[in-house]
Amino acid sequence: FAIMKTSVISPAFRARYLANPGHENCFECKVVVFDGSDDYHHRINDPSLGIDEYTMLVIRGAGPVGWPGSAEVVNMQPPDHLIKEGIMNLPTLGDGRQSGTSDSPSILNASPESAAGGNLALLRTGDVIRVDLNHGRCDVKLSDEELEARKQETPPAIPASQTPWQEIYRATVGQLHRGACMELALPYRGVAHDMPRHNH
């Protein structure tokens, strides 16, 4: 599950990615994967990544477990050299949230998140993604055999909890497509109608 934010796609982005005759509203591009926002800020301008105008930026580790509460980090900017060329937006994909708006078709709230075994954990820089806005799909172009092999590899590391409350939250929270609620709290939604007794 994920949310595709298509309502704010700019004319420039549409012309660059979504106007290929016979493949309107579809595009393919390579991905560059970042594990959290610190990794993104540290490496976005690294020329060895080869980020160009046909690259999708992926950020993972930003869902309710990976980044307790989920973070607004999917609205990533291109590297400085592309901004200087007037390319202000690249397609983005992530298991976190996004604040504000973007001129690209952001794909956010990917669920289950990478920290919970979601498929973003299987992505590698250089993989090719196909996005089809007509059918609301985002697929990696890998064989089933390759995906199965990657599932056997060590998943991306999850930062340790920093408080007991984070540990409790991570142990009980559901995924974004279910509302990222603490699952153990769901039976108590009607607590206002039957208040617990006072403890003093």
Side-chain angles (χ1 to χ4, degrees):
F1 300 94
I3 295 172
M4 283 185 164
K5 192 171 184 180
T6 62
S7 61
V8 293
I9 296 175
S10 68
F13 188 96
R14 188 169 295 280
R16 183 172 9 124
Y17 281 99
L18 301 171
N20 189 14
H23 301 279
E24 290 83 359
N25 294 320
C26 301
F27 66 91
E28 293 183 3
C29 57
K30 68 176 183 181
V31 300
V32 171
V33 181
F34 301 98
D35 287 307
S37 64
D38 288 345
D39 186 31
Y40 160 75
H41 289 295
H42 180 68
R43 295 195 300 131
I44 184 61
N45 288 309
D46 183 347
S48 71
L49 295 176
I51 299 174
D52 60 22
E53 60 183 304
Y54 298 105
T55 301
M56 173 180 277
L57 305 179
V58 177
I59 194 164
R60 63 189 177 194
V65 174
W67 192 319
S70 193
E72 293 183 341
V73 294
V74 181
N75 46 335
M76 296 171 278
Q77 289 187 325
D80 292 346
H81 76 272
L82 288 182
I83 292 175
K84 290 175 183 176
E85 294 174 13
I87 298 170
M88 308 306 291
N89 294 281
L90 293 175
T92 60
L93 167 64
D95 54 12
R97 297 179 294 123
Q98 177 177 305
S99 61
T101 59
S102 174
D103 292 339
S104 67
S106 303
I107 303 171
L108 53 150
N109 293 17
S111 179
E113 64 183 297
S114 60
N119 286 340
L120 283 189
L122 307 180
L123 279 184
R124 304 288 182 268
T125 292
D127 288 345
V128 175
I129 291 279
R130 175 176 172 77
V131 176
D132 182 343
L133 299 185
N134 298 314
H135 297 96
R137 292 191 59 87
C138 176
D139 298 288
V140 62
K141 298 188 73 175
L142 293 173
S143 68
D144 291 341
E145 293 77 14
E146 174 63 20
L147 288 172
E148 284 303 316
R150 292 188 184 185
K151 287 178 183 178
Q152 308 310 313
E153 298 175 4
T154 303
I158 303 170
S161 294
Q162 297 172 301
T163 69
W165 316 120
Q166 284 188 359
E167 185 172 345
I168 292 168
Y169 177 85
R170 282 174 151 165
T172 61
V173 71
Q175 290 296 291
L176 283 168
H177 72 278
R178 290 174 47 85
C181 300
M182 294 176 71
E183 298 290 313
L184 59 79
L186 294 180
Y188 304 98
R189 285 175 289 186
V191 67
H193 302 295
D194 186 16
M195 292 296 292
R197 62 183 182 178
H198 293 288
N199 62 357
H200 64 278

